[in-house]
Amino acid sequence: MSTENHEDLPRRSVLKEAAIGGIGLVAGTVVTGSGSERACAAIEQVTEKATWLAERASCVSGNRLLGPDSAGPVVTKAREIFLPRSAQEIADLVRSLPAETPIASVCGGHESSNAAAVASDGAVIFDMAHLKSIEFHEEGGRALVTVGGGVVFRELVEAVKERKGALPVGTGPGVGVVGYVVNGGLSGYFSRRLGLLGQCVTRLTVVTAAGEIRVLTPDDELFTAMLGAGSALGIVVDLTLEMEPESVVRGAEQRVISFETRDQAVAFAREALRFQADHVLPDEGVAMELVVTGTKALVATFVFYDTFRGSIAELVAPLEALAQRLELPVVASSHLSSWYETAAALWPVINAMKGSPLAMLQHCMGTEGPPTDAILRFLCDTVVAEAPLDEATFSIVEIRTLGGAAMAKKPLPSGNCRHRFFLDLITMYDAKEKTPAERREIADMTRSVVEKARGVEGLAVDFSGTHSQPDDPGSAVSPALIFGSEAMAEMVREQKKRVDPGNRFRFHPYAKFL
Ligand SMILES: Cc1cc2nc3c(=O)[nH]c(=O)nc-3n(C[C@H](O)[C@H](O)[C@H](O)COP(=O)(O)OP(=O)(O)OC[C@H]3O[C@@H](n4cnc5c(N)ncnc54)[C@H](O)[C@@H]3O)c2cc1C
């Protein structure tokens, strides 16, 4: 039991408050283990549960804003929220709770359905916010970084920059590294060259449902299962990632083109996606993303890797020519000259998306091979044309290339390593500006597009743990799609039975079928 280093101010004040309030030494302030005979050290606990969710969750599910309780703020249902500081504290706490107590873990708080942050009556949340360590080391010539369970991308990217490294990180500065990895996170910018971030993991420290601390390596079956379904299987205390040198990413070119009518956006998307399919998908030295935004911008980003052999100017020129032909102004041109600049490119845009609360619905769709003409037509004429971009102006449609290293490296239980091409439909709006009827209309428009996508031959819908909205009423999410194959889904089910037979870890995107 590690009791040193815990004489910190916040915890002392929690103890003091408990004493002042006459609460005494209740479970959660000082925990006496029922599984273990020892008393745990006092573990910091959230005292203001009502404000905790507003501060910790970056968004609120658009579906939660439709229900009967939607008039008031969305609040956590959890009985208690702890802020542990070590693997030992987590293990002691898990063992001290009754075996049937459900447990949720929160890292960056960006999961769009808030499954973990809202949890349920009687549940206990472990907020990993204090586990902020980032340690670099070398092993057999490999550059490694061990990241604590509460680290978010901004912190990791800034630290990796200093070491001149590169990792396939996600775009959101506040997204949790562990929350991303355990749900099959992918990087539209970097995964074609570096794989999924989960494919860079070499070691995991995990606390199991029985309260054991386990260090997992690739030889353990649970190791692989954690890198796609981890939020249903255990609590990650830290993970170790193998970095690549920053030189694997040469940089990126970004063009922002403004449009006025949706027809213009559709017309641009049609030709840009044809160009993407013909010239970018066959070349694994480059990634391309086209984003159509509710603020009436088309953002085309090309990321060039060390393996790119062509001319950067020649690849970008046709998109600029397309904008000119359609008489759409290029309002910004950026040249990003490193992995770091590319990784951080969207931080200011994402930070500007605020709401009270910020409502979100997330869906993805994609193909395992190159998209057919019919699929490209559907994405432009239905998804880009009908997504609620005007009604929910923070919304974006992101159309991205994948495949490459994500497909070539060892498969993980994630649909993300099977797809070569995909689209994220992210519906976002500031809820305080919308009436209940308007919120309903936005959700219905989103659902209508997604339901139409389910009927398109060759188009997989909601295959990603990070980009799928598990709380859509009646949505048919398929385990084989989410985990990449029926065999992977079976492996995950098997591990779930073995390591969490009581389903303590039930607040995750796969709750419907695990
Ligand atoms: C602005 C923004 C940008 C995004 N960019 C990308 C992107 O580029 N690529 C992408 O794939 N996704 C992206 N996402 C989606 C995001 O990666 C997922 O929602 C991710 O699961 C969020 O992780 P989190 O830790 O922030 O969220 P949380 O809500 O804290 O956690 C998400 C899930 O992980 C589980 N979890 C958290 N910590 C632990 C732990 N220690 N042990 C076990 N389970 C844990 C939680 O229980 C929950 O189920 C983005 C989301 C937003 C809002």
Side-chain angles (χ1 to χ4, degrees):
M1 182 166 62
S2 70
T3 51
E4 72 284 1
N5 302 329
H6 302 318
E7 289 306 312
D8 50 275
L9 255 179
R11 203 185 55 192
R12 276 211 305 270
S13 50
V14 170
L15 284 170
K16 206 167 134 199
E17 269 178 50
I20 289 167
I23 302 166
L25 301 177
V26 294
T29 303
V30 170
V31 180
T32 304
S34 58
S36 113
E37 289 306 306
R38 300 172 301 174
C40 297
I43 297 172
E44 188 180 337
Q45 200 173 343
V46 169
T47 48
E48 290 300 325
K49 276 199 300 167
T51 50
W52 175 83
L53 189 108
E55 285 168 10
R56 284 298 269 129
S58 76
C59 55
V60 167
S61 158
N63 289 322
R64 291 190 191 274
L65 296 170
L66 304 177
D69 307 329
S70 62
V74 176
V75 292
T76 186
K77 295 181 182 159
R79 189 182 81 204
E80 283 160 312
I81 303 165
F82 290 95
L83 290 141
R85 289 176 184 269
S86 67
Q88 195 61 55
E89 282 195 352
I90 296 170
D92 288 344
L93 187 47
V94 170
R95 282 200 304 274
S96 72
L97 295 166
E100 61 281 5
T101 303
I103 296 172
S105 305
V106 170
C107 177
H110 279 61
E111 203 254 319
S112 55
S113 70
N114 325 113
V118 170
S120 67
D121 296 340
V124 168
I125 292 177
F126 289 23
D127 181 341
M128 312 301 274
H130 287 323
L131 297 177
K132 288 288 189 190
S133 60
I134 300 180
E135 286 167 17
F136 293 91
H137 42 114
E138 274 210 10
E139 224 172 82
R142 298 187 303 171
L144 304 176
V145 55
T146 298
V147 178
V151 171
V152 299
F153 277 130
R154 183 177 34 74
E155 295 154 349
L156 179 62
V157 168
E158 297 288 2
V160 169
K161 174 198 176 196
E162 295 304 313
R163 297 294 174 129
K164 303 194 182 315
L167 286 168
V169 293
T171 48
V175 169
V177 178
V178 168
Y180 174 89
V181 165
V182 295
N183 287 300
L186 62 91
S187 164
Y189 286 170
F190 306 122
S191 284
R192 287 198 105 196
R193 176 67 181 86
L194 297 170
L196 306 183
L197 192 58
Q199 289 169 314
C200 307
V201 176
T202 63
R203 207 186 58 205
L204 289 162
T205 308
V206 170
V207 173
T208 66
E212 277 174 357
I213 302 173
R214 290 184 60 186
V215 177
L216 304 174
T217 66
D219 293 336
D220 297 291
E221 231 186 0
L222 182 58
F223 175 88
T224 306
M226 289 296 300
L227 301 173
S231 54
L233 299 171
I235 303 168
V236 177
V237 180
D238 61 50
L239 51 77
T240 301
L241 299 159
E242 181 173 358
M243 296 187 298
E244 295 289 337
E246 62 181 359
S247 57
V248 296
V249 177
R250 285 166 63 180
E253 292 293 328
Q254 196 164 64
R255 301 292 177 269
V256 182
I257 296 139
S258 97
F259 65 89
E260 281 173 16
T261 68
R262 193 71 70 89
D263 285 348
Q264 289 173 325
V266 171
F268 187 91
R270 267 194 211 121
E271 292 198 43
L273 295 195
R274 165 60 45 216
F275 176 81
Q276 186 187 51
D278 293 345
H279 299 280
V280 181
L281 269 178
D283 182 352
E284 291 183 359
V286 57
M288 176 185 159
E289 177 183 272
L290 176 69
V291 180
V292 188
T293 78
T295 50
K296 296 198 180 340
L298 293 146
V299 186
T301 307
F302 294 90
V303 183
F304 298 96
Y305 307 134
D306 54 346
T307 47
F308 179 67
R309 298 285 167 257
S311 149
I312 291 179
E314 276 176 29
L315 200 75
V316 178
L319 264 278
E320 292 172 332
L322 171 62
Q324 203 172 15
R325 191 150 37 82
L326 297 176
E327 296 182 6
L328 299 175
V330 178
V331 292
S333 296
S334 310
H335 169 71
L336 308 164
S337 59
S338 64
W339 168 80
Y340 172 75
E341 284 184 14
T342 311
L346 295 181
W347 292 356
V349 181
I350 292 172
N351 284 337
M353 292 171 174
K354 292 197 183 337
S356 183
L358 181 66
M360 182 179 290
L361 295 161
Q362 285 223 19
H363 293 278
C364 69
M365 47 194 84
T367 58
E368 295 196 2
T372 62
D373 290 347
I375 287 175
L376 289 180
R377 264 199 307 280
F378 173 80
L379 298 183
C380 297
D381 297 351
T382 304
V383 184
V384 174
E386 296 177 13
L389 300 178
D390 300 318
E391 295 76 6
T393 47
F394 288 144
S395 299
I396 52 177
V397 178
E398 329 179 283
I399 305 140
R400 299 160 147 188
T401 48
L402 193 55
M407 247 173 196
K409 285 186 166 187
K410 189 178 171 222
L412 300 179
S414 165
N416 295 344
C417 50
R418 306 264 312 194
H419 288 83
R420 197 178 295 275
F421 168 85
F422 70 109
L423 176 150
D424 294 321
L425 170 56
I426 304 181
T427 303
M428 272 186 286
Y429 61 89
D430 183 352
K432 77 171 178 304
E433 293 170 354
K434 304 290 174 196
T435 65
E438 287 167 337
R439 296 174 189 182
R440 164 67 61 196
E441 186 198 6
I442 290 166
D444 286 348
M445 288 175 79
T446 305
R447 203 164 4 261
S448 157
V449 170
V450 175
E451 287 314 316
K452 285 179 193 169
R454 291 187 202 281
V456 176
E457 202 186 330
L459 191 61
V461 179
D462 283 344
F463 58 80
S464 163
T466 49
H467 284 110
S468 300
Q469 186 79 9
D471 66 348
D472 274 345
S475 78
V477 189
S478 141
L481 258 189
I482 288 263
F483 295 127
S485 67
E486 193 43 64
M488 280 292 188
E490 198 38 50
M491 187 271 281
V492 169
R493 280 192 209 104
E494 194 51 43
Q495 287 298 318
K496 179 77 177 167
K497 264 191 252 155
R498 216 176 281 173
V499 300
D500 185 21
N503 196 19
R504 297 191 93 168
F505 304 124
R506 66 187 70 161
F507 307 105
H508 53 78
Y510 327 115
K512 278 185 183 164
F513 49 75
L514 278 187

